[in-house]
Amino acid sequence: MITIKLNNRNRHKSQMKLTTHQKTIITSQATGMIATSLFTSGVLLSYSQFLGLSSSAILVLLALPELMGFLIILPSAYYSKNTGIKILGGIGIILGIIGFTILLIALFANQHRILLAFIGVGLIGFGWAMFNSGWYALIGPLVEKNVRGRFLGTLRFSWQLTSIIFSFIALHIIRSVENLHIAYSIILIAVIGLQIGRLYLYQKIPDQNEKEKNPASLIALVVILIKNSRFMSYC
C-alpha cells in the first residue's frame, strides 16, 4: 500500500503542467509549421505545375529549402551567439513571409513567374534555416529536464496534427475551386497570415540565453565538426 501511494504521488508530481511560455511555444510552432505542409503535401508541386515549370525545374525548386538549410544553418547558429537567437529567428520568419508573398505575386505576374517562384522559395528556405538554427536553444531553458521529452513529444504532435489538417483543407480548396488563381491565392494568404501570427507569438517567447563572443572563427569550428566522427555519423 505504501509503495502504491508513493508511486501515485510520484506520478502526480511528474505530470506535465504547461506554463504560459510553453503554451506560447506550442501555439507558435503549430501555426508556423503549417507552411511546411505545402512542400510535403503536394500543394507546392501542384502550384509549380500551374506556373508552367518543367519537371527538372520543379525538382530543383522543391529541393531548394533543404539546400538553403544545409548552407545557412551553421553560419546562422554561429552568429546567433553574438546577435541573439530571437533576432535571427525573427528575421527568418520575416524572410518566410516575404517569400510566400512573392509566391502569391508570381500567380498574377505576366513575366518572370518562374524566377519569382525560385526567389520566393529560396527566401523561405533561407528564413527556415535561420529560424531552426536557434529554435531548440531558445526553448531549452524554458522546459524542465524532467518533462522535456514529453513536452517535445507534445510539441511535435501538435504541429504535425495542424499541418495534416491544413493539408486536407488546402487540397480540398484546390479541388473544389475552379479558378486555380483564386485557390492558390486563398492558400497562400492563409499561410502568410499564420506566419504573421507566428512572428507575434515568437516575440513573446523569452530568450534566456546570454550573448557571448564565439571562441573561434566559423571556419575553424566547421573543421572541428567535420573531424568529429560522432558529428559525421549524426549527419
Side-chain angles (χ1 to χ4, degrees), residues 9-10 28 32 48 65 67 87 108 117 126-127 134 146 149 171 185 199 215 220 226:
R9 287 180 181 177
N10 291 333
S28 172
S48 303
L67 176 62
I87 293 176
F108 303 96
F126 199 107
N146 61 323
L171 292 174
S185 296
L199 180 62
I226 293 174

Side-chain angles (χ1 to χ4, degrees), residues 37 39 44-45 53 61 71 89 95 99 134-135 138 143 145 161 164 171 176 187 196 199 214 218 224:
S37 65
F39 291 82
L44 192 66
L45 172 63
L53 273 72
L61 186 70
L71 295 175
L95 288 177
W135 173 244
L138 176 66
V143 183
K145 290 183 179 180
L161 178 62
I164 291 171
L171 292 174
S176 58
I187 295 169
I196 294 173
L199 180 62
N214 291 296
L218 175 61
I224 293 172

Side-chain angles (χ1 to χ4, degrees), residues 22-126:
Q22 290 170 355
K23 291 177 182 178
T24 303
I25 290 169
I26 291 174
T27 308
S28 172
Q29 195 71 337
T31 55
M33 291 297 288
I34 283 176
T36 62
S37 65
L38 298 185
F39 291 82
T40 58
S41 64
V43 174
L44 192 66
L45 172 63
S46 176
Y47 167 89
S48 303
Q49 292 174 336
F50 177 73
L51 289 184
L53 273 72
S54 63
S55 299
S56 58
I58 292 174
L59 289 175
V60 175
L61 186 70
L62 295 178
L64 198 54
E66 295 293 334
L67 176 62
M68 297 300 294
F70 174 76
L71 295 175
I72 302 301
I73 196 165
L74 278 179
S76 179
Y78 176 82
Y79 289 110
S80 66
K81 294 180 69 67
N82 293 329
T83 60
I85 294 173
K86 282 188 66 175
I87 293 176
L88 285 184
I91 294 173
I93 297 175
I94 292 172
L95 288 177
I97 294 172
I98 296 172
F100 282 110
T101 303
I102 292 175
L103 293 184
L104 178 62
I105 294 172
L107 284 172
F108 303 96
N110 294 325
Q111 297 179 343
H112 310 298
R113 301 174 77 181
I114 296 176
L115 177 61
L116 287 172
F118 272 90
I119 293 174
V121 173
L123 286 175
I124 292 167
F126 199 107

